[in-house]
């Protein structure tokens, strides 16, 4: 140690400072300059590509590994690497990886095409879209990757929230499943279940301060006839149906019908609580059926039933929770990326994995093979997928969503009245919508 | 790494007489060559981002991609102070920093005294005590998130069996912030204790003997000998822990995600949200520079106190 200290101080100081100072100056100059980024390229249609997916809901890691293996067999000159992150980390990972051109294909949520498209993070693929897709895909699916008549990807996971219930709980509490057709009926049923002592908290939701909360809220907002923004683009969730939806949510907590853990739960928590038999009914995405009905992962297998989302006074729109596959604008190998995207979104592949996620293609829903793969959800999906509610399609959606999440939680936790919470959210969101 | 600081300082002091010794040119060149890789790394991963962030904070950068963005001067900084969401976030950060550092210090002193006592199997207790600190923060956060879970958490099992009933530990904003503090204190008390243990071991035992001869009891010896002699170690620990606590991010990300009702959002977490989730990189850069300035002010304040202590002959 002593030997190292002495020479460093001998030469030293000045020479060392000169040398390192030069390096430092270079770093500073580099930092100040505008470093020219290269934009993407079509590439040769061969070579390595890297794709980013999410871990939960929709197709499982296993499904995607199988699809990719099949694709590799058919396209030996393209080498695909796949990465998976939690949904909660997906957006930020795409953003952080964009300047480094890490990914060629990224999975994007229905709320991101405006943001990613306008910021040139994902490529405009309108010219690659065959005209026939527009008539062959369900309208709710097409809206997933489209922003202002430009396509920023291909719809892949077509999803909305269904009502899952445990028929054993209902039977034991003497509740008729037909009651679950309306939100009023759900509350009546939940009261009866609670009274009978079958479960302490019959309902569980994904109301953690996260996008999951907005999805549940969107579905209720639609049922109560509210809307996120009015025709002039100003916030409208603090009027009418938007407030009633939050009042409904809060009341279900006050009445002890909703599991108080809901405000800290994501979709996976909902699945686990439902699968352990601690909840009688819950909203969740398609994927919950396969897992909750699997005896290896669930204590309620065989008792899981699926319904359309219950109706409110204004109908029963399901939240559009679809996702699409996009080609990175920075990708140097966009042709190969597109081949992979087209393969994963193709009808035969989607039909095969319909248990995890339903196809975006209209005719799939009448295909007996698809119905057989997921006999519980397909009939409900056929009715539900025609009636969907979109969250606002705006460039700074995330900032608005964060404001709304926090205020919804203030309302849910009783820190503010529902009206006050939503007024406060509308105040803050208003200025964000204008910027 | 930082634990070795006192030793290194000792080494430097020992070699101080060699300061004026000239070294041969060849030796110097060799030393320089050895230093270059480290210098490249330091300037590449420290200086470049530091300057780049400063530059970005003066522009309205709203995308991660390079491009030309409008110059806005200090408007990003001004915006911080007009942001209604910033003040609650600052409040959470100050509360977290103050409470967690204070708790860690008090518990750390107690733990250090215990570990310094002539116990049987002392090596064993010391290894056990360092365990929480050896856990990655992410693991610690996930652990406490599970334990605090209102549905199946072990904490509720304990409180229920004690007749205290079940609670949603992470369910209300203020309680959740305190639970995050508990998790942070659980992990970091051990590193504080080890700093202080090192300090304790430098106190010569004859001081205590002399005190005993003069008729001082254990309590008096603690306040008149142990505490003053520990001041330099306490100062170092305080600086490190305050800085760490002020920029807390990972444990919040894992345990609460900033919720419920934004009650656990700290400045660092909010900065991350603005920069990466909202792609307001200019605003995020300005926020992070303000964090740096705040930490710098804290560190300078502490160093001043430490120097005054040294001048008073404590060291």
């Amino acid at each position: 140690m002593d030997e190292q200290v002495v020479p460093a101080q001998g030469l030293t100081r000045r020479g060392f400072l000169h040398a390192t100072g030069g390096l430092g100056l270079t770093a500073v100059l580099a930092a100040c300059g505008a470093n020219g980024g290269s934009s993407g390229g079509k590439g040769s249609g061969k070579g390595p590509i890297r794709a980013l997916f999410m871990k939960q809901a929709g197709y499982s890691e296993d499904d995607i590994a199988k699809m990719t293996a099949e694709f590799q067999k058919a396209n030996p000159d393209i080498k695909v690497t796949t990465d998976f992150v939690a949904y909660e980390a997906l957006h930020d990972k795409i953003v952080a990886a964009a300047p480094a051109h890490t990914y060629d294909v990224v999975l994007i949520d229905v709320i991101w095409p405006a943001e990613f498209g306008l910021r040139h993070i994902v490529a405009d693929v309108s010219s690659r879209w065959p005209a026939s897709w527009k008539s062959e895909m369900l309208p709710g699916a097409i809206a997933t990757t489209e922003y202002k008549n430009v396509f920023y990807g291909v719809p892949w996971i077509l999803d909305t929230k269904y009502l899952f219930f445990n028929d054993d709980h209902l039977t034991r509490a003497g509740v008729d499943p037909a009651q679950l057709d309306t939100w009023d009926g759900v509350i009546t049923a939940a009261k009866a279940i609670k009274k009978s002592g079958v479960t302490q908290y019959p309902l569980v939701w994904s109301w953690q301060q996260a996008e999951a909360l907005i999805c549940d809220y969107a579905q209720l907002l639609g049922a109560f006839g509210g809307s996120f923004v009015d025709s002039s683009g100003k916030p409208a969730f603090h009027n009418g149906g938007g407030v009633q939806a939050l009042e409904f949510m809060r009341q279900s907590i006050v009445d002890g019908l909703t599991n108080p853990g809901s405000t800290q739960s994501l979709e996976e928590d909902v699945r686990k609580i439902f699968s352990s038999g601690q909840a009688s009914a819950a909203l969740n995405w398609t994927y919950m059926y396969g897992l909750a009905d699997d005896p290896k992962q669930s204590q309620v297998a065989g008792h899981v039933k699926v319904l359309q989302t219950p109706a409110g006074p204004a109908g029963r729109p399901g939240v559009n929770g679809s996702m699409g596959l996009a080609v990175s604008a920075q990708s140097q190998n966009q042709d190969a990326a597109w081949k992979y995207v087209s393969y994963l979104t193709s009808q035969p592949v989607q039909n095969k994995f319909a248990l995890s996620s339903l196809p975006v293609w209209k005719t799939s829903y009448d295909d007996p093979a698809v119905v057989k793969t997921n006999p519980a959800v397909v009939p409900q999906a056929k009715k539900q997928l025609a009636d969907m509610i979109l969250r606002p399609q705006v460039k700074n959606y995330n900032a608005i969503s964060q404001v709304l999440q926090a205020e919804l939680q203030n309302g849910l936790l009783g820190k503010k009245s529902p009206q006050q919470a939503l007024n406060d959210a509308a105040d803050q969101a208003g200025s964000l919508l204008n910027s | 790494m930082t634990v070795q600081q006192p030793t290194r300082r000792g080494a430097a002091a020992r070699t101080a007489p060699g300061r004026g010794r000239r070294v041969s040119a060849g030796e110097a060149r060799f030393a320089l060559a050895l230093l270059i890789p480290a210098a490249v790394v330091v300037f590449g991963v420290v200086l470049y981002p530091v300057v780049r962030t400063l530059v970005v904070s003066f522009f309205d950068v709203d995308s991660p991609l390079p491009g030309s963005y409008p110059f806005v001067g200090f408007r990003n900084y001004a915006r911080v102070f007009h942001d209604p969401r910033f003040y609650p976030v600052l409040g959470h950060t100050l509360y977290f920093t103050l409470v967690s550092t204070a708790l860690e210090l008090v518990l750390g002193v107690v733990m250090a005294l215990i570990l310094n006592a002539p116990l049987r199997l002392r090596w064993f207790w010391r290894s056990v005590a360092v365990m929480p600190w050896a856990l990655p923060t992410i693991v610690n956060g996930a652990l406490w998130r599970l334990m605090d879970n209102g549905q199946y958490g072990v904490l509720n099992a304990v409180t229920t069996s004690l007749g205290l009933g079940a609670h949603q530990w992470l369910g209300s904003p203020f309680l959740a912030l305190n639970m995050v503090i508990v998790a942070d204190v659980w992990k970091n008390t051990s590193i504080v204790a080890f700093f202080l243990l090192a300090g304790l071991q430098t106190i010569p035992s004859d001081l205590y003997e002399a005190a005993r001869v003069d008729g001082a009891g254990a309590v008096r010896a603690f306040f008149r000998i142990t505490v003053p002699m520990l001041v330099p170690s306490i100062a170092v620990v305080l600086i490190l822990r305050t800085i760490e606590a002020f920029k807390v991010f990972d444990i919040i990300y894992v345990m609460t995600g900033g919720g419920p009702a934004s009650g656990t959002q700290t400045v660092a977490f909010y900065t991350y949200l603005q920069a990466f989730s909202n792609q307001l990189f200019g605003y995020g850069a300005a926020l992070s520079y303000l964090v740096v300035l705040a930490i710098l002010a804290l560190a300078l304040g502490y160093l001043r106190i430490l120097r005054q202590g040294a001048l008073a002959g404590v060291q």
Side-chain angles (χ1 to χ4, degrees):
Chain A
M1 193 165 188
D2 290 9
E3 284 79 3
Q4 282 171 1
V5 176
V6 177
Q9 289 191 338
L11 165 107
T12 64
R13 221 157 260 192
R14 187 165 296 170
F16 178 70
L17 283 180
H18 278 167
T20 50
L23 269 172
L25 194 66
T26 320
V28 169
L29 288 176
C32 291
N35 46 4
S38 52
S39 55
K42 288 184 174 220
S44 58
K46 294 178 202 162
I49 56 170
R50 203 176 175 100
L52 181 65
F53 300 95
M54 67 169 176
K55 275 180 193 292
Q56 74 269 44
Y59 301 110
S60 68
E61 287 189 53
D62 237 19
D63 294 339
I64 294 169
K66 282 180 198 151
M67 294 176 193
T68 306
E70 285 293 315
F71 173 76
Q72 296 271 229
K73 227 184 275 170
N75 298 276
D77 46 0
I78 299 176
K79 166 105 188 60
V80 185
T81 316
T82 54
D83 285 334
F84 295 84
V85 292
Y87 171 82
E88 282 67 38
L90 183 61
H91 171 279
D92 301 351
K93 178 103 174 167
I94 293 172
V95 171
H101 318 170
T102 312
Y103 294 104
D104 302 282
V105 173
V106 290
L107 177 64
I108 60 169
D109 199 1
V110 59
I111 47 187
W112 302 334
E115 179 193 342
F116 287 164
L118 295 176
R119 289 186 167 110
H120 305 293
I121 290 176
V122 297
D124 172 354
V125 291
S126 308
S127 60
R128 294 181 189 261
W129 256 68
S132 60
W133 285 6
K134 287 175 197 158
S135 56
E136 288 164 16
M137 283 186 195
L138 285 157
I142 293 174
T144 307
T145 53
E146 190 183 18
Y147 177 68
K148 294 198 169 160
N149 299 320
V150 174
F151 284 105
Y152 291 106
V154 185
W156 189 42
I157 297 171
L158 178 57
D159 217 342
T160 182
K161 287 200 156 182
Y162 298 93
L163 186 78
F164 295 80
F165 71 94
N166 183 322
D167 65 353
D168 179 45
H169 283 194
L170 267 66
T171 317
R172 276 158 54 202
V175 173
D176 176 8
Q179 273 196 351
L180 303 181
D181 192 49
T182 65
W183 282 118
D184 277 349
V186 169
I187 293 299
T188 319
K191 283 181 178 158
I193 294 168
K194 188 176 173 80
K195 208 170 155 204
S196 73
V198 174
T199 51
Q200 193 184 358
Y201 300 113
L203 305 174
V204 63
W205 313 75
S206 51
W207 290 350
Q208 184 174 328
Q209 185 172 347
E211 194 55 35
L213 168 57
I214 306 292
C215 293
D216 276 10
Y217 176 68
Q219 200 142 316
L220 287 162
L221 170 127
F224 284 96
S227 53
F228 281 107
V229 288
D230 61 18
S231 50
S232 59
K234 292 202 183 78
F237 49 75
H238 57 311
N239 304 318
V243 181
Q244 287 165 27
L246 183 54
E247 282 167 349
F248 173 90
M249 293 158 81
R250 169 68 187 156
Q251 193 59 42
S252 76
I253 296 181
V254 173
D255 292 342
L257 305 175
T258 283
N259 190 317
S262 295
T263 52
Q264 306 139 55
S265 298
L266 294 171
E267 292 92 335
E268 271 296 87
D269 304 296
V270 168
R271 176 178 77 79
K272 285 175 191 157
I273 290 171
F274 182 82
S275 297
S276 68
Q278 295 185 68
S280 308
L283 282 183
N284 212 338
W285 311 107
T286 305
Y287 88 107
M288 176 151 114
Y289 182 77
L291 298 176
D293 206 41
D294 175 0
K296 272 184 251 155
Q297 311 189 47
S298 165
Q299 295 166 35
V300 300
H303 292 294
V304 184
K305 295 285 180 293
V306 190
L307 293 173
Q308 257 189 289
T309 178
R316 60 170 97 225
V319 60
N320 190 332
S322 306
M323 298 181 82
L325 288 172
V327 174
S328 293
Q330 306 296 311
S331 164
Q332 301 299 322
N333 211 351
Q334 294 183 355
D335 281 351
W338 178 257
K339 267 191 209 166
Y340 183 55
V341 169
S342 327
Y343 177 80
L344 293 184
T345 54
S346 67
Q347 195 164 7
V349 174
Q350 292 217 316
N351 286 355
K352 194 171 157 190
F353 292 91
L355 180 62
S356 302
S357 174
L358 296 178
V360 300
W361 306 95
K362 282 180 189 168
T363 54
S364 295
Y365 292 80
D366 295 317
D367 180 340
V370 173
V371 180
K372 208 176 134 204
T373 324
N374 201 340
V377 186
V378 170
Q380 304 302 336
K382 242 174 118 172
K383 291 182 273 178
Q384 190 64 64
L385 293 175
D387 184 10
M388 306 252 262
I389 179 170
L390 272 173
R391 286 161 278 168
Q393 303 267 58
V394 288
K395 185 182 173 188
N396 46 6
Y397 174 80
N398 271 4
I400 293 163
S401 174
Q402 281 162 23
V403 165
L404 190 53
Q405 288 163 26
E407 292 300 342
L408 284 173
Q409 284 224 316
N410 276 325
L412 290 173
L413 298 169
K415 304 269 167 208
K416 291 180 184 173
S417 73
Q419 182 71 60
Q420 185 61 49
L422 292 170
N423 282 350
D424 291 352
D427 271 355
Q428 297 175 56
S431 55
L432 290 167
L433 278 165
N434 292 332
S435 66
Chain B
M1 190 174 83
T2 31
V3 189
Q4 295 169 351
Q5 220 161 0
T7 339
R8 228 186 296 150
R9 216 191 290 150
R14 273 202 305 283
T15 55
R19 216 160 210 274
R21 185 166 72 101
R22 301 300 304 175
V23 289
S24 74
E27 212 178 325
R29 265 199 300 277
F30 181 60
L32 199 60
L34 287 179
L35 281 170
I36 280 177
V40 168
V41 169
V42 166
F43 286 114
V45 302
V46 179
L47 198 64
Y48 176 83
V50 163
V51 176
R52 182 80 196 155
T53 308
L54 186 65
V55 172
V56 165
S57 74
F58 293 123
F59 288 84
D60 186 14
V61 178
D62 66 348
S63 151
L65 302 174
S68 56
Y69 298 97
F71 179 77
V72 292
F74 283 95
R75 236 174 295 162
N76 281 327
Y77 292 88
R79 189 176 161 181
V80 175
F81 297 101
H82 291 116
D83 184 346
R85 291 168 72 196
F86 175 70
Y87 293 97
V89 160
L90 185 64
H92 302 153
T93 313
L94 293 178
Y95 180 81
F96 180 92
T97 307
L98 214 67
V99 178
S100 67
T101 312
L103 282 176
E104 281 159 22
L105 192 63
V106 173
L107 295 175
V109 169
V110 173
M111 199 157 138
L113 288 174
I114 295 173
L115 293 178
N116 200 38
L119 296 172
R120 225 184 277 172
L121 290 178
R122 194 155 71 169
W123 60 271
F124 174 74
W125 301 120
R126 286 183 181 179
S127 332
V128 169
V130 83
M131 289 275 279
W133 185 68
L135 276 185
T137 311
I138 298 289
V139 176
N140 184 41
L143 201 89
W144 279 92
R145 189 189 148 106
L146 280 178
M147 294 203 295
D148 294 349
N149 188 295
Q151 193 70 26
Y152 44 78
V154 70
L155 199 57
N156 268 346
V158 173
T159 53
T160 318
S161 66
L162 292 175
L164 298 169
H167 299 273
Q168 295 294 327
W169 297 102
L170 301 175
S172 59
F174 188 59
L175 182 59
L177 184 58
N178 285 303
M179 294 314 289
V180 176
I181 290 177
V182 168
D184 189 72
V185 168
W186 182 78
K187 175 174 157 65
N188 288 313
T189 296
S190 42
I191 186 67
V192 173
F194 274 84
F195 262 101
L196 300 181
L197 180 60
L200 280 178
Q201 290 177 336
T202 61
I203 304 177
S205 57
D206 30 339
L207 280 180
Y208 290 103
E209 273 165 39
R212 215 170 22 244
V213 170
D214 291 345
V219 175
R220 192 161 176 165
F222 174 75
F223 283 107
R224 288 300 171 94
I225 300 173
T226 315
V227 172
M229 297 292 282
L230 266 188
V231 163
S233 310
I234 290 176
V236 170
V237 162
L238 266 185
I239 295 174
L240 288 178
R241 284 311 310 153
T242 312
I243 292 173
E244 284 287 310
F246 199 85
K247 56 191 180 99
V248 61
F249 172 81
D250 35 13
I251 196 160
I252 304 246
Y253 185 88
V254 177
M255 269 184 81
T256 63
S262 301
T264 56
Q265 279 185 4
T266 57
V267 174
F269 190 87
Y270 187 65
T271 304
Y272 167 82
L273 277 187
Q274 293 296 345
F276 290 93
S277 295
N278 302 347
Q279 299 205 38
L280 299 172
F281 289 94
Y283 186 47
L287 272 166
S288 45
Y289 253 89
L290 290 175
V291 173
V292 168
L293 287 180
I295 289 175
L296 207 63
L298 280 173
L300 286 177
Y302 276 133
L303 284 174
R304 215 185 153 80
I305 297 168
L306 176 64
R307 241 197 336 264
Q308 279 166 355
L311 285 176
V314 178
Q315 211 173 2

